[in-house]
Amino acid sequence: MSMEIKSIQKDSLDKLFNSLKSRGNLIYAPVKVKNEVQFDFVEKFEQITDDFIQTTQSVKNSVFPKIETLFKFVKTGKEVKMLDMDMSLIPEIVIWGIHPCDVWGFDSLRAIFTWDTHDMFFEKRMDKLTIIGMSCAKADDYCFCTSVNLGPGSTKGSDVLLTKTGNGDYIAELVSDKGKALATSMPDVFVQAVQSKKEDFLVVVEKRFDSESLIPKMQKKETFDSPFWVTNSLRCLGCGACAYVCPTCACFDIQDEGYGARNIRFRCWDSCGLKQFTIHTSGHNPREVQSQRWRQRLMHKFAYMPERNKVTGCVGCGKCSRACPVDMNIAEQLQEIDQKM
Amino acid sequence: MDSLRRKAQQLLESKEVDCIIGYNEGSSGNVHAGFITTPGQAEKLIFDDRCKQNLGVYLTKHEVMRLGKLAIVAPVPVMRTVLILTYECQIVENSVKVLGIGLDGQFLDFNEYADIEKYLTDHCNEHPEEDKKLIEKISAMSVEERWDFWHETLKPCIKCFACRQACPMCYCVRCQVECNQPQWIPVQSSELGNMEWHFMRAMHLAGRCTGCGDCGRSCPLGIPVHLLTFKMSDVVLDNFNTKAGLTIKEPSTLSTYKANDKETFIR
Ligand code: SF4
Ligand code: SF4
Ligand code: SF4
Ligand code: SF4
């Protein structure tokens, strides 16, 4: 697929926003909340900010909500009636200003949610997305996208990728058919490409390791058995922070909740870092201690998913490291494994 | 710091302890907990304003307990943690060597927990000024305003339980939020569910909080949940004139523990 390139002048970005909005889309965009920037549904263009390196949480909530009601059930006497969710209520969402790492997170999620059984909630939500990515002009030393085959200007997964140029205008790469159709439908917004080179406006992200070399190392039995895991996770507290902020972590729990006769079954986020995650009804826990859980987290992303799903389960965003209360730095640990194993 | 490192080195050389839990330089200008097991590593120990984590949380973690006899670098909240854990039968009196750091930053070499009790009688930590101000502000609200305040503040909570896991007093083998037969607290992170979770947490820590602030500090979303337990400490102080973790001889004000309790679910 050849990529078409257009440009958007700085004053027409709000036109793009308003047109998308008037077509009935919900717009999920980065907004400033207290000291942080978070994705939220926005009403006005002015609410959006592009002044951030990373949001604390990923955007996975848009396709893998922290709570997804799977069905409802109503009890009347001895009768139980099941009520399916109305899938037609799932809205069209435009994800606006999302960075390339977060965009590619959807691909990891897709690999998991369509691996054998196709998860209809996930797929339906995914179908309804339009992704307007934004290249990165800033990074910090938690970022390591270039170590996992991505980069600050990676177009993978976006429908349109915008790069802000020196004068404030945007280079608009039309990556997918959806992106091309969008541009065609708004000829006054997507105008003739300018002569700037996108690379000039991207931040440089140092490569910490090479996933091509790391993955086979992670898959070795000696790595699994290495004392590395205990030594490097003694301080891990076993919470869910790293998994909940991660764009690719897909573990969930399924629970029922009742309000008298009205009940719901839902799935909600869960984490392999939590002690309860693998506990059996008998009380036996195959992942008895935290080092096994920390190992699972990295192994799942860098050994099992590459083998089973043909993708790396990490996009190098560094959100987990920033969120971790005890400075468990994933890039640092992966780098060490790549160097030593 | 030199005296701390020297002491650490000597403890490891003489094999008096097997591991020292302290603070090390971390990534991106952070510090993090370090587990020092050889005399040569003692020089990695640091102590400065960034060293805020309550390391007492590791005293009840299995893989740390397995390292052998422990010593711990202990600013005042950690000292209090050690005393509470001793009273609550999680550690044995004088079993963990305490390398104290006084309120003035000086190294304090405690021989036994009675010395810590003595030190704490007139060197207890107070809430930081900005937290005091916030607590005052919240306390001055009407009941309705306060409900709205907490409702809004806790709404973004994703129930990652970092606040619980960071707290050395939250060592229960099975937390009440994880009990589902019957279910006490909704599993989902919903508006009401979040409130219930945090009120429950605050109640379980009432009169047991050491004022370390780690719960609030560990929240990835910056929710100041420590204000709830700080406030509970104030309430306990006002009503009973007690503070948690100043002695190993008495139970915390609102909870008691009997080793011979006839209920078997209490361990
Ligand atoms: S594991 Fe960490 S760095 Fe990798 S995608 Fe998840 S949050 Fe980002
Ligand atoms: S690595 Fe950090 S965020 Fe993840 S479980 Fe451990 S303490 Fe929590
Ligand atoms: S750390 Fe923050 S987000 Fe996580 S459960 Fe506690 S209050 Fe909620
Ligand atoms: S409740 Fe918070 S401030 Fe109190 S001891 Fe626990 S972590 Fe520290």
Side-chain angles (χ1 to χ4, degrees):
Chain A
M1 192 164 51
S2 73
M3 183 119 53
E4 249 182 81
I5 302 179
K6 295 270 181 190
S7 74
I8 300 181
Q9 282 172 351
K10 57 174 177 256
D11 340 321
S12 26
L13 207 59
D14 61 338
K15 233 190 277 171
L16 173 62
F17 179 92
N18 291 327
S19 315
L20 287 165
K21 192 98 192 116
S22 67
R23 293 176 185 182
N25 293 292
L26 291 178
I27 301 186
Y28 200 53
V31 290
K32 208 162 167 19
V33 195
K34 290 191 186 134
N35 301 324
E36 314 190 32
V37 177
Q38 300 282 15
F39 274 83
D40 206 349
F41 291 104
V42 297
E43 289 306 319
K44 291 204 191 76
F45 178 68
E46 293 71 42
Q47 286 173 270
I48 301 175
T49 178
D50 64 359
D51 184 21
F52 66 99
I53 292 174
Q54 285 274 346
T55 50
T56 309
Q57 296 188 67
S58 78
V59 291
K60 72 177 169 196
N61 202 28
S62 58
V63 287
F64 171 39
K66 62 180 184 175
I67 309 147
E68 178 90 83
T69 305
L70 304 175
F71 58 83
K72 300 183 182 180
F73 52 109
V74 185
K75 275 190 273 183
T76 10
K78 283 193 174 148
E79 291 288 299
V80 179
K81 209 163 101 204
M82 309 248 296
L83 302 167
D84 281 337
M85 301 310 290
D86 183 353
M87 303 291 274
S88 71
L89 294 179
I90 291 178
E92 293 277 352
I93 298 180
V94 174
I95 308 215
W96 177 288
I98 167 180
H99 288 325
C101 53
D102 259 338
V103 175
W104 199 235
F106 289 125
D107 195 65
S108 282
L109 291 177
R110 193 199 320 264
I112 292 170
F113 282 112
T114 62
W115 172 32
D116 42 17
T117 304
H118 284 228
D119 184 274
M120 62 176 188
F121 293 94
F122 175 83
E123 283 201 316
K124 187 77 178 175
R125 288 188 188 278
M126 231 21 242
D127 281 352
K128 299 267 183 160
L129 287 193
T130 304
I131 300 172
I132 302 186
M134 181 80 76
S135 303
C136 300
K138 284 193 285 189
D140 62 15
D141 52 6
Y142 292 106
C143 293
F144 62 101
C145 53
T146 46
S147 306
V148 291
N149 287 327
L150 287 166
S154 164
T155 55
K156 284 187 192 172
S158 286
D159 292 308
V160 177
L161 181 77
L162 303 178
T163 303
K164 199 175 190 170
T165 64
N167 68 2
D169 293 344
Y170 295 84
I171 300 172
E173 292 170 273
L174 313 177
V175 189
S176 70
D177 290 342
K178 216 178 206 173
K180 283 184 192 132
L182 183 72
T184 316
S185 73
M186 294 182 199
D188 54 331
V189 174
F190 291 84
V191 295
Q192 194 64 46
V194 286
Q195 282 305 314
S196 347
K197 246 182 47 239
K198 145 173 138 179
E199 283 66 30
D200 294 343
F201 307 103
L202 302 178
V203 65
V204 175
V205 178
E206 182 209 346
K207 201 164 173 163
R208 307 280 297 263
F209 58 87
D210 190 341
S211 54
E212 245 85 287
S213 108
L214 176 71
I215 289 167
K217 290 178 187 171
M218 288 290 277
Q219 290 168 333
K220 284 197 299 196
K221 175 135 186 358
E222 301 87 82
T223 310
F224 188 90
D225 294 330
S226 163
F228 175 90
W229 304 108
V230 179
T231 319
N232 285 284
S233 69
L234 279 170
R235 68 176 181 278
C236 170
L237 300 167
C239 65
C242 49
Y244 289 8
V245 301
C246 173
T248 72
C249 274
C251 290
F252 57 80
D253 189 12
I254 292 184
Q255 293 271 348
D256 286 354
E257 234 166 69
Y259 309 92
R262 292 181 304 117
N263 304 271
I264 58 167
R265 176 160 300 173
F266 62 89
R267 73 162 168 236
C268 58
W269 294 349
D270 204 343
S271 165
C272 62
L274 297 165
K275 181 179 70 187
Q276 301 282 331
F277 186 72
T278 43
I279 210 158
H280 295 179
T281 317
S282 66
H284 169 67
N285 195 343
R287 285 186 216 130
E288 201 207 339
V289 286
Q290 200 55 36
S291 58
Q292 298 168 331
R293 299 176 202 127
W294 173 246
R295 175 178 63 193
Q296 166 63 23
R297 182 158 199 276
L298 301 200
M299 284 288 175
H300 188 236
K301 293 173 182 302
F302 286 92
Y304 314 146
M305 282 184 67
E307 183 198 325
R308 206 160 31 190
N309 311 99
K310 311 289 173 244
V311 292
T312 310
C314 170
V315 296
C317 66
K319 287 189 175 65
C320 53
S321 309
R322 290 185 203 89
C324 177
V326 294
D327 190 39
M328 293 283 282
N329 188 313
I330 189 171
E332 201 176 76
Q333 297 212 9
L334 293 168
Q335 189 174 16
E336 195 177 325
I337 296 171
D338 191 36
Q339 283 164 2
K340 290 196 185 150
M341 303 281 179
Chain B
M1 191 142 72
D2 278 345
S3 34
L4 171 67
R5 285 181 185 156
R6 261 200 313 277
K7 184 71 195 177
Q9 197 175 356
Q10 180 217 317
L11 286 169
L12 289 163
E13 264 162 9
S14 64
K15 304 228 182 314
E16 211 176 309
V17 306
D18 301 297
C19 170
I20 293 168
I21 310 172
Y23 301 97
N24 287 172
E25 207 56 60
S27 69
S28 300
N30 296 310
V31 294
H32 63 225
F35 301 83
I36 306 289
T37 51
T38 62
Q41 295 171 327
E43 67 188 38
K44 282 170 63 182
L45 286 173
I46 55 164
F47 191 82
D48 59 34
D49 288 348
R50 297 169 301 162
C51 301
K52 293 212 165 78
Q53 191 193 354
N54 188 335
L55 301 175
V57 72
Y58 297 113
L59 294 175
T60 52
K61 299 240 181 275
H62 289 236
E63 286 177 297
V64 177
M65 288 152 81
R66 281 182 200 167
L67 293 173
K69 198 160 155 33
L70 301 171
I72 189 165
V73 175
V76 171
V78 181
M79 296 181 203
R80 294 173 71 186
T81 300
V82 168
L83 299 193
I84 300 177
L85 291 177
T86 307
Y87 176 79
E88 293 183 353
C89 299
Q90 299 306 307
I91 56 177
V92 174
E93 185 174 352
N94 301 329
S95 65
V96 175
K97 171 80 184 161
V98 176
L99 306 172
I101 310 273
L103 289 177
D104 55 1
Q106 285 307 304
F107 170 60
L108 301 164
D109 189 1
F110 293 120
N111 281 319
E112 43 182 42
Y113 295 176
D115 300 339
I116 305 179
E117 290 179 325
K118 233 173 281 160
Y119 178 79
L120 289 176
T121 37
D122 43 28
H123 294 93
C124 193
N125 56 320
E126 302 227 349
H127 307 324
E129 281 309 314
E130 62 185 291
D131 288 337
K132 275 192 199 163
K133 281 198 203 109
L134 280 168
I135 294 172
E136 243 168 66
K137 197 173 116 196
I138 300 165
S139 304
M141 292 175 180
S142 69
V143 173
E144 291 76 21
E145 281 169 344
R146 199 152 58 227
W147 176 266
D148 291 345
F149 170 82
W150 282 113
H151 189 250
E152 278 308 305
T153 305
L154 298 174
K155 204 150 77 177
C157 167
I158 48 177
K159 281 202 177 153
C160 68
F161 300 126
C163 49
R164 178 188 71 185
Q165 293 306 103
C167 176
M169 296 305 129
C170 277
Y171 56 74
C172 291
V173 174
R174 193 152 184 219
C175 176
Q176 198 179 347
V177 278
E178 275 141 10
C179 297
N180 55 4
Q181 289 189 336
Q183 188 175 77
W184 298 90
I185 309 285
V187 177
Q188 48 172 298
S189 137
S190 56
E191 291 180 26
L192 205 58
N194 289 357
M195 298 280 264
E196 287 182 66
W197 146 235
H198 284 289
F199 294 169
M200 185 277 283
R201 196 185 78 87
M203 293 313 287
H204 285 184
L205 290 157
R208 296 172 67 240
C209 169
T210 66
C212 67
D214 256 11
C215 46
R217 210 159 23 240
S218 57
C219 176
L221 305 180
I223 305 174
V225 284
H226 61 292
L227 297 179
L228 290 167
T229 47
F230 279 16
K231 173 68 184 178
M232 297 308 266
S233 312
D234 294 349
V235 172
V236 168
L237 183 64
D238 291 347
N239 288 280
F240 304 98
N241 199 27
T242 55
K243 281 189 178 185
L246 300 188
T247 167
I248 54 171
K249 292 177 213 75
E250 282 163 34
S252 34
T253 309
L254 298 180
S255 51
T256 58
Y257 172 90
K258 285 192 210 130
N260 57 356
D261 199 295
K262 65 182 196 313
E263 296 293 353
T264 51
F265 71 89
I266 295 172
R267 304 209 254 163

